[in-house]
Amino acid sequence: VKTWRVSDGFLVRTNTSHTDDVQAVAFDATSLKAFSGSANADVILSNARSGSTSPIFQNYAYAPVLDVAVAPD
């Protein structure tokens, strides 16, 4: 997952936490947290500022994660 600065297109960081193709990404309402899902059924939470990550689900349901969504509550 790559993060760019919108104002000038500068590549801020490349997150290599996933071990398979990333299929979906969603940001929370503050744009500070990003959730990404991959073909190997992992969902990872990333801090958009620091780049730190933590797995939410690993090999979830043994099927690719094709979509992620974030609710404000």
Side-chain angles (χ1 to χ4, degrees), residues 5-30:
R5 188 170 47 220
V6 175
S7 62
D8 61 4
F10 176 78
L11 177 62
V12 176
R13 81 180 41 84
T14 300
N15 182 322
T16 58
S17 296
H18 284 285
T19 58
D20 207 339
D21 294 338
V22 173
Q23 304 292 317
V25 177
F27 283 88
D28 73 341
T30 66

Side-chain angles (χ1 to χ4, degrees), residues 2-66:
K2 295 181 184 280
T3 305
W4 288 273
R5 188 170 47 220
V6 175
S7 62
D8 61 4
F10 176 78
L11 177 62
V12 176
R13 81 180 41 84
T14 300
N15 182 322
T16 58
S17 296
H18 284 285
T19 58
D20 207 339
D21 294 338
V22 173
Q23 304 292 317
V25 177
F27 283 88
D28 73 341
T30 66
S31 295
L32 296 178
K33 296 176 184 172
F35 298 83
S36 53
S38 66
N40 67 340
D42 288 348
V43 176
I44 294 177
L45 167 62
S46 302
N47 180 303
R49 284 202 177 139
S50 70
S52 64
T53 62
S54 57
I56 301 293
F57 299 109
Q58 292 181 309
N59 205 11
Y60 180 70
Y62 307 102
V65 176
L66 302 177

